[in-house]
């Protein structure tokens, strides 16, 4: 995040690498998800009553327009992306899983029908 500009351009997503004790601050223009990939960071956001420590794999929602401050406890990497992008990826994963499941179900049905035909269960 760039404290000078105060806003993050988030058409897609951004990757941040932070050194120990490095602080980044800024505002996101839309609802985003921040996910910590490795390291440990302290996060506070304007309008929230609590601060957060994030460990690897943890995520939190960032509210649009509110100042967010992130400080790395040690070498850390995180990704910030708009919720719409997160939703699109989840939908595509779900569709892929659904198509694989549909394919497996159809193949199973075809195998059962073929077995019935070969064993004389139909047409005799």
């Amino acid at each position: 995040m760039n404290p000078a500009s105060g806003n993050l351009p988030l058409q897609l997503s951004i990757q941040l690498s932070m050194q120990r004790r490095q602080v980044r601050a800024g505002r996101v223009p839309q609802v985003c998800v921040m996910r910590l990939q490795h390291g440990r960071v302290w996060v506070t956001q304007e309008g929230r009553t609590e601060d957060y420590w994030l460990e690897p794999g943890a995520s939190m929602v960032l509210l649009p327009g509110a100042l967010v401050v992130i400080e790395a406890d040690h070498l850390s990497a995180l990704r910030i992306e708009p919720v719409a992008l997160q939703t699109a990826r989840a939908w595509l994963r779900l569709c892929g899983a659904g198509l694989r499941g549909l394919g497996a179900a159809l193949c199973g049905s075809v195998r059962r029908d073929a077995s019935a035909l070969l064993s004389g269960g139909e047409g005799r």
Side-chain angles (χ1 to χ4, degrees), residues 102-112:
L102 179 60
L106 288 174
C107 287
S109 173
V110 168
R111 279 192 295 257
R112 282 192 302 279

Side-chain angles (χ1 to χ4, degrees), residues 34 40-54 60 67-71:
M34 178 175 69
R40 185 171 185 239
V41 297
W42 169 83
V43 183
T44 189
Q45 190 172 28
E46 190 174 55
R48 293 193 171 182
T49 57
E50 297 180 21
D51 297 347
Y52 302 90
W53 282 101
L54 297 182
M60 71 178 284
L67 179 66
V68 62
V69 179
I70 306 165
E71 181 178 351

Side-chain angles (χ1 to χ4, degrees), residues 1-3 7-10 13-20 22-28 32-43 54 62 68-72 74-81:
M1 297 200 301
N2 184 353
N7 273 342
L8 293 170
L10 285 172
S13 64
I14 61 169
Q15 178 78 30
L16 292 176
S17 295
M18 298 177 67
Q19 300 296 317
R20 183 174 189 270
Q22 183 178 4
V23 176
R24 306 290 295 263
R27 300 172 193 276
V28 292
C32 292
V33 173
M34 178 175 69
R35 184 173 316 281
L36 187 66
Q37 295 165 323
H38 69 81
R40 185 171 185 239
V41 297
W42 169 83
V43 183
L54 297 182
L62 301 177
V68 62
V69 179
I70 306 165
E71 181 178 351
H74 51 273
L75 182 63
S76 301
L78 55 99
R79 177 175 295 280
I80 300 174
E81 52 192 11

